[in-house]
């Protein structure tokens, strides 16, 4: 089959690799119908996250089950399924608590020795604990398939951030970051009943999506100017709930400084850079809580799926460029150059 591999910074290739096969009785093989490129993939692309030459990449996909191992109970050939970005056994204490990302038998797609989502097929370990079945009819609905793909990562990650920030009906929310996760954080905040949602971002195409997702205000400034703008919008107090979806020292510093005393920050931006942007004395004095981390999206898919299926929420606008498998290297360049927000891959 063909799959995307990374060989060095900015060196992405689509190559022939061995077809996936059932190795353990709980495995299935999924033929990929939709995949995508994540903003976090760019850290490997830019050389800021180490990868072995030839390593697979991609952690978001949905597709059709082609083969199932003898111990698989929940899936059969032909089932349409979506995969969260981490596989998990579904039986350990962490999975039972909804923290599938800490499963001792879990792992990330594209890790050494595993298939990546940006390919024609994927071997899925612990299929019964990992995959979620989708309605068969969705396979014929291109728009719905695209929306459902967001369940594999960005929609659940935005929801995780909103929960960490303590979004509730009537609250004021600020979202730091105008990437796909930040935009899905806007969508999640609206779904949870926020009354006011302030989106921080400078790119009009992205802030237009934020407004369509429910943002009531947009702040285009950065740094201290952005902090002042949010304070002005909130009567000098700041937001009850702040979503941090970037992961830099500056973005976290902004998040802390625009949080209302007694408020919370939900952080899901993958940390990168040398600093954290956190001053514990400031957070202590102002009673600011910090919750978040890598999102256990497998726990959220059953809750979010019905709303995607009936159109209550539609995250599909975050995909603004579509490529075939051969076009994946061009997709990485487009996202790196910020000419694309999030690239959809149709193998």
């Amino acid at each position: 089959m063909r799959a995307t591999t990374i060989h060095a910074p900015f060196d992405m290739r689509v190559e022939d690799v061995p077809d996936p096969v059932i190795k353990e009785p709980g495995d299935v093989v999924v033929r990929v119908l939709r995949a995508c490129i994540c903003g976090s993939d760019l850290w490997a692309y830019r050389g800021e996250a180490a990868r072995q030459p030839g390593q697979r990449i991609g952690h978001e996909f949905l597709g059709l089950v082609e083969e199932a191992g003898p111990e698989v109970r929940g899936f059969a050939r032909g089932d349409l399924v979506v995969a969260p970005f981490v596989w998990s056994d579904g039986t350990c204490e962490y999975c039972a608590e909804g923290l599938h990302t800490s499963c001792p038998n879990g792992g990330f797609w594209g890790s050494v020795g595993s298939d990546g989502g940006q390919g024609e097929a994927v071997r899925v370990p612990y299929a019964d604990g990992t995959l979620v079945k989708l309605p068969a009819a969705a396979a014929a609905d291109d728009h719905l398939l695209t929306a459902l793909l967001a369940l594999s990562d960005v929609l659940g990650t935005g929801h995780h951030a909103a929960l960490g920030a303590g979004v509730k009906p009537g609250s004021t929310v600020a979202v730091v970051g105008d990437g796909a996760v930040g935009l899905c954080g806007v969508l999640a905040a609206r779904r949870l009943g926020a009354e006011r949602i302030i989106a921080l971002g400078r790119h009009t195409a992205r802030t237009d999506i934020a407004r369509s997702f429910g943002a009531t205000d947009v702040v285009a400034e950065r740094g201290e100017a952005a902090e002042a703008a949010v304070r002005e919008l909130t009567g000098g107090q700041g937001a009850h709930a702040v979503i941090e979806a970037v992961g830099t020292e500056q973005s976290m510093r902004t998040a802390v400084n625009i949080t209302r005393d007694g408020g919370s920050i939900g952080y899901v931006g993958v940390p990168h850079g040398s600093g954290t942007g956190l001053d514990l004395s400031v957070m202590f004095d102002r009673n600011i809580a910090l919750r978040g981390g890598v999102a256990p999206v497998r726990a959220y898919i059953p809750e979010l799926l019905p709303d995607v299926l009936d159109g209550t929420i539609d995250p599909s606008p975050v995909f603004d460029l579509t490529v075939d498998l051969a076009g994946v290297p061009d997709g990485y360049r487009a996202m790196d150059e910020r000419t694309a927000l999030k690239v959809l891959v149709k193998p």
Side-chain angles (χ1 to χ4, degrees):
M1 71 168 189
R2 303 281 283 171
T4 306
T5 56
I6 181 168
H7 292 261
F10 307 104
D11 184 3
M12 311 299 298
R13 306 178 194 176
V14 179
E15 300 180 306
D16 290 323
V17 300
D19 291 333
V21 296
I22 301 296
K23 294 182 179 179
E24 300 293 338
D27 292 352
V28 304
V29 173
V30 172
R31 178 167 60 86
V32 177
L33 295 181
R34 297 289 185 278
C36 54
I37 302 173
C38 183
S40 64
D41 292 331
L42 296 180
W43 304 123
Y45 179 71
R46 295 166 179 160
E48 297 181 40
R51 293 291 188 274
Q52 293 184 4
Q55 189 172 336
R56 309 285 181 84
I57 196 166
H59 55 262
E60 300 158 281
F61 65 94
L62 59 74
L64 296 170
V65 174
E66 285 202 328
E67 185 180 2
E71 293 184 5
V72 174
R73 298 291 176 262
F75 305 97
R77 180 179 174 84
D79 285 343
L80 181 66
V81 294
V82 62
F85 65 81
V86 171
W87 72 76
S88 53
D89 62 23
T91 60
C92 72
E93 291 184 6
Y94 286 113
C95 288
E97 295 168 2
L99 194 61
H100 299 76
T101 48
S102 291
C103 176
N105 292 313
F108 289 81
W109 311 112
S111 56
V112 175
S114 73
D115 294 322
Q118 294 162 19
E120 292 181 323
V122 176
R123 180 182 75 89
V124 178
Y126 301 102
D128 284 328
T130 300
L131 299 174
V132 176
K133 190 181 296 187
L134 303 172
D141 187 330
D142 186 70
H143 182 89
L144 181 57
L145 272 186
T146 300
L148 290 168
L149 178 61
L151 290 167
S152 65
D153 185 346
V154 290
L155 184 58
T157 297
H159 180 68
H160 186 59
L163 293 179
V167 176
K168 58 185 178 182
S171 57
T172 295
V173 181
V175 180
V176 182
D178 60 2
V181 170
L183 293 173
C184 284
V186 172
L187 200 60
R190 186 188 69 178
R191 179 178 176 274
L192 292 172
E195 180 177 333
R196 191 173 194 184
I197 304 172
I198 304 167
L200 280 70
R202 296 183 298 165
H203 303 86
T204 303
R206 300 182 180 200
T207 55
D208 285 348
I209 295 174
R211 289 188 186 277
S212 72
F213 280 2
T216 56
D217 303 272
V218 169
V219 169
E221 294 85 356
R222 298 186 71 182
E224 292 182 358
E227 295 165 14
V230 173
R231 292 278 173 182
E232 182 176 356
L233 287 170
T234 56
Q237 293 186 340
H240 300 97
V242 175
I243 291 173
E244 192 286 314
V246 182
T248 64
E249 180 177 1
Q250 179 62 65
S251 63
M252 185 61 82
R253 194 178 307 282
T254 297
V256 171
N257 290 339
I258 63 175
T259 303
R260 184 180 187 271
D261 287 16
S264 300
I265 300 169
Y267 73 106
V268 292
V270 178
H272 48 280
S274 59
T276 64
L278 292 175
D279 186 331
L280 290 181
S281 64
V282 170
M283 298 178 70
F284 181 87
D285 290 344
R286 297 177 51 218
N287 280 281
I288 293 174
L290 180 67
R291 292 189 295 267
V294 58
V297 299
R298 177 61 182 81
Y300 302 138
I301 293 175
E303 175 185 350
L304 298 171
L305 175 58
D307 284 358
V308 177
L309 290 174
D310 68 14
T312 300
I313 52 176
D314 179 11
S316 64
V318 302
F319 299 99
D320 62 344
L321 176 65
T322 300
V323 299
D324 60 11
L325 197 55
V328 169
D330 291 333
Y332 272 88
R333 280 191 288 273
M335 285 183 63
D336 182 52
E337 295 168 358
R338 298 183 73 85
T339 58
L341 167 58
K342 189 169 180 67
V343 174
L344 177 69
V345 182
K346 294 183 177 181

